Amino acid sequence: MADTGGAEQRSTAQAVVIRLWNSRWLLAAGIVAVLTVYGFADMSGYVVLLACAVLLFAAAMLPASVARQSAEDAAAIEAGGLQQLSGEYLAAAVADPLIIFDRTATIVHANAAAFAAFGGIAPGISLSLKFRAPEMQALLDSILSGAAASDVVDYTEKLPVERAYRVSASSVGHGTDLYVLVFKDQSEARRIDRMRADFIANASHELRTPLASISGFIETLRGPARNDPAAREQFLQIMQNQTGRMARLIDDLLSLSRLEMKPYLKPGTEVDLRQTLDSVIDSLGPLARENGVAIERDFAEGPLDVPGDRDELFQVFENLLENACKYGQSGGRVVVTIAHRDDGPEPGIDVTIRDFGPGIPEEHIPRITERFYRVDVENSRTQKGTGLGLSIVKHILTRHNARLSIKSEVGNGAAFTVHLPAH
């Protein structure tokens, strides 16, 4: 407490001195005026000038001493504050897993994030036994041997789930014989990079296939089929189909890109689901008739409004209904249901599109919304699918704070349900 009071008094004194320094010219002028007016006029001018010079010199020296004292006080306050913080408190404030160990690679302390990430770690446990990966052993050897003051490696934890970390190691302080490991989780960044690489590879493959076909047909038309009208007509039709497929793929890629650039959709306008689904069913009527599928409606009574963007929700239901008509055509019918949901924590509306086709094997359901993922590649291409429809559906629903659930049984069709919030 005495130190604090002294610091406060020094701060007050410093403020006074600074105010005097800021008014130094006015003070000098005042002194000269007083000397001149009140009886010191007979004094030598050199004496007056000497007095002013002394005053100005003292004022010039004061700021330097004040600055030095201020810096010393700040350093003392900072040192006192840091001394009151223990290493345990500092480690707890770090969000990443952090482990402090000694020269024998024995754990001295681990924060809560480290316990949550790795489990089974406690003071006294050997790091060499806990992390047996070669890269971790090399990191510990490098730091403990003094070969490097700090070092960084990439480490992958396999269990209970695979996580990728960038691990940095360094000494703590000077002469403490303590060292620290900090684990920066890179799993999400690695997943995004892998997904981006897969996306580019898949998109390139999807575009290369029709381009190769078109190139081959052009070569044939310029050679063996040059004078064969029937073959020329057949090849031109195939080329038209392939260019149409590439155009659909590019449109879907652009749709995905636009969706990813848009922020989360805040509820604003209301969308009438009854009217929207009626429009979707009417627009896909010719496709349903072409595939021999009857579309049935089962809509709940009353208002069926949800917050959202009508065009985007139209795209969601159009994708789902089109898939049901194409891939579930063997069932002969598709049922579109709108129902109120009152059993959850928040009220909402569920839209279910159910077909009675061959269904989807259970192992495919978790991955069916991935980009370019197909249950049956040949059937999908026959139906002019791009492999991006359900990925677009997922992105739109995420923007609407909604979700998609899929239930299917092989031989009994599939049901895709969109769960939309009512407010």
Side-chain angles (χ1 to χ4, degrees):
M1 295 295 292
D3 291 341
T4 304
E8 291 177 353
Q9 291 174 0
R10 286 194 297 271
S11 299
T12 303
Q14 291 165 10
V16 172
V17 170
I18 290 171
R19 283 196 296 270
L20 288 174
W21 167 249
N22 291 335
S23 60
R24 59 193 180 279
W25 301 113
L26 183 61
L27 182 63
I31 291 175
V32 172
V34 169
L35 291 174
T36 303
V37 173
Y38 290 98
F40 293 96
D42 56 343
M43 188 178 295
S44 171
Y46 293 105
V47 174
V48 175
L49 291 176
L50 179 62
C52 292
V54 170
L55 174 65
L56 293 176
F57 176 77
M61 295 302 294
L62 276 174
S65 62
V66 169
R68 285 195 299 271
Q69 185 62 45
S70 177
E72 292 173 0
D73 290 342
I77 292 172
E78 181 181 2
L82 289 176
Q83 288 173 0
Q84 295 174 7
L85 291 176
S86 69
E88 183 178 352
Y89 290 152
L90 292 174
V94 177
D96 298 316
L98 181 147
I99 298 174
I100 301 174
F101 60 99
D102 59 18
R103 291 197 62 84
T104 63
T106 301
I107 296 177
V108 175
H109 177 73
N111 66 0
F115 281 104
F118 307 115
I121 58 175
I125 291 178
S126 173
L127 278 175
S128 301
L129 296 178
K130 178 62 180 176
F131 300 101
R132 298 176 180 270
E135 59 270 23
M136 290 296 292
Q137 298 290 330
L139 176 65
L140 293 174
D141 291 342
S142 173
I143 294 297
L144 294 176
S145 66
S150 62
D151 204 352
V152 178
V153 298
D154 291 325
Y155 167 69
T156 301
E157 181 79 5
K158 300 295 185 182
L159 296 174
V161 294
E162 183 172 332
R163 307 291 295 179
Y165 294 97
R166 174 65 58 88
V167 186
S168 59
S170 61
S171 58
V172 178
H174 301 285
T176 62
D177 286 338
L178 292 178
Y179 307 86
V180 63
L181 285 177
V182 179
F183 296 77
K184 190 71 176 178
D185 196 339
Q186 303 287 311
S187 304
E188 184 65 15
R190 298 276 182 88
R191 186 189 68 81
I192 292 173
D193 287 342
R194 187 165 54 248
M195 184 177 67
R196 184 181 296 113
D198 291 344
F199 173 70
I200 293 173
N202 287 327
S204 301
H205 173 74
E206 293 293 330
L207 287 171
R208 188 183 295 114
T209 301
L211 282 173
S213 298
I214 292 172
S215 177
F217 289 132
I218 291 174
E219 184 178 349
T220 304
L221 287 173
R222 297 180 65 183
R226 180 190 300 270
N227 299 316
D228 187 342
R232 185 167 60 247
E233 184 64 27
Q234 178 186 2
F235 292 158
L236 288 174
Q237 181 61 49
I238 296 174
M239 291 168 64
Q240 184 178 2
N241 293 339
Q242 294 293 345
T243 54
R245 178 185 166 198
M246 283 193 294
R248 290 192 301 273
L249 178 60
I250 292 171
D251 288 342
D252 284 350
L253 289 173
L254 290 175
S255 294
L256 269 177
S257 179
R258 284 192 295 266
L259 287 170
E260 289 176 344
M261 292 176 64
K262 289 181 180 179
Y264 169 75
L265 181 69
K266 295 181 179 180
T269 59
E270 293 285 328
V271 179
D272 185 345
L273 289 180
R274 188 192 311 276
Q275 182 184 27
T276 303
L277 279 161
D278 280 338
S279 299
V280 171
I281 293 171
D282 291 342
S283 68
L284 292 177
L287 175 66
R289 288 191 294 270
E290 181 183 338
N291 287 277
V293 174
I295 301 176
E296 303 174 7
R297 294 173 172 86
D298 183 11
F299 297 171
E301 298 295 331
L304 298 171
D305 297 335
V306 295
D309 183 285
R310 185 186 183 280
D311 292 337
E312 291 186 3
L313 290 179
F314 185 97
Q315 189 175 8
V316 166
F317 300 128
E318 184 180 44
N319 267 318
L320 294 177
L321 187 56
E322 184 177 356
N323 286 345
C325 292
K326 288 180 178 179
Y327 303 111
Q329 61 178 328
S330 61
R333 65 191 184 103
V334 173
V335 179
V336 180
T337 304
I338 308 178
H340 292 280
R341 183 181 71 254
D342 301 320
D343 54 349
E346 295 183 1
I349 296 177
D350 293 344
V351 178
T352 302
I353 297 177
R354 168 114 163 78
D355 68 70
F356 298 87
I360 304 169
E362 185 177 356
E363 64 270 19
H364 293 289
I365 292 177
R367 300 189 59 191
I368 202 170
T369 57
E370 294 180 11
R371 298 175 181 183
F372 297 110
Y373 188 84
R374 294 181 173 94
V375 176
D376 186 339
V377 177
E378 292 303 323
N379 188 30
S380 175
R381 288 179 176 168
T382 301
Q383 298 292 348
K384 301 180 181 179
T386 63
L388 294 173
L390 290 179
S391 183
I392 292 173
V393 166
K394 183 181 71 173
H395 276 74
I396 293 176
L397 294 182
T398 299
R399 278 177 28 80
H400 283 73
N401 195 26
R403 61 188 178 88
L404 175 70
S405 64
I406 305 169
K407 294 182 180 179
S408 181
E409 184 179 346
V410 175
N412 291 322
F416 290 76
T417 302
V418 175
H419 306 274
L420 292 160
H423 302 290

